[in-house]
Amino acid sequence: MYEHLLVPVDGSELSNKAVEHSIGLAKMLGAAITGVTVEPPLPVLVVEQAAVAYDVATFQDHEKRCEAHAREILQAFAAKAQAAGVHFDGQFVITDDVQQAIVDMARKQNCDLIVMATHGRHGLDALIHGSLTKSVLAHSQVPLLVVH
């Protein structure tokens, strides 16, 4: 039924639930998994009502830290997938538009199912913090399996 799963992960306990579920599902279906970690860019630095540019070394250092963090998360995911006999590919992106990065990655990698964890926020909490899962659901043409 599904041949290629996309699983966004951030290393949190909640995203680890999506890792476990996706590996079990992929093993049962004979599917492959692409794990993706989306890292934030450097925030805009504002000093006295003016945006200030970072120097090149600061950008490079941030990019190295993001890559190291993503590699750590994705290697742990890869080890679990490999132990279960599931083909795994890891990707990472630096952007502040996490929802669009997930939707774009699903399309780029030809994934036919996205597996995501959600906090299950309701009411004011959902309004304040938003819901990445709901946003992906609203913008993706790929089916979404939500792990809670």
Side-chain angles (χ1 to χ4, degrees):
M1 178 173 213
Y2 297 109
E3 297 176 358
H4 194 171
L5 315 180
L6 180 72
V7 186
V9 291
D10 62 9
S12 69
E13 187 176 319
L14 189 60
S15 78
N16 288 335
K17 287 184 179 182
V19 167
E20 298 300 327
H21 278 78
S22 67
I23 290 172
L25 182 61
K27 184 172 178 136
M28 184 174 65
L29 297 173
I33 295 175
T34 294
V36 63
T37 298
V38 181
E39 298 284 339
L42 280 171
V44 175
L45 181 61
V46 178
V47 177
E48 294 183 22
Q49 299 182 4
V52 179
Y54 291 100
D55 61 24
V56 173
T58 302
F59 276 112
Q60 290 173 338
D61 185 50
H62 178 73
E63 195 169 287
K64 286 179 185 175
R65 281 193 314 271
C66 287
E67 186 175 350
H69 181 249
R71 183 176 291 121
E72 179 183 331
I73 293 167
L74 294 171
Q75 283 178 341
F77 195 165
K80 290 177 182 179
Q82 184 179 19
V86 173
H87 177 74
F88 179 85
D89 176 45
Q91 301 287 324
F92 94 98
V93 179
I94 297 176
T95 182
D96 56 358
D97 193 349
V98 178
Q99 162 263 311
Q100 192 60 51
I102 293 168
V103 170
D104 291 346
M105 187 64 66
R107 188 178 325 109
K108 178 181 168 189
Q109 296 293 326
N110 295 314
C111 296
D112 49 14
L113 180 68
I114 300 172
V115 179
M116 289 182 71
T118 184
H119 289 94
R121 292 185 176 113
H122 300 287
L124 186 58
D125 192 32
L127 184 63
I128 292 170
H129 293 104
S131 171
L132 177 60
T133 306
K134 285 181 183 176
S135 186
V136 170
L137 180 61
H139 293 92
S140 178
Q141 299 300 314
V142 177
L144 180 64
L145 173 64
V146 180
V147 177
H148 182 60

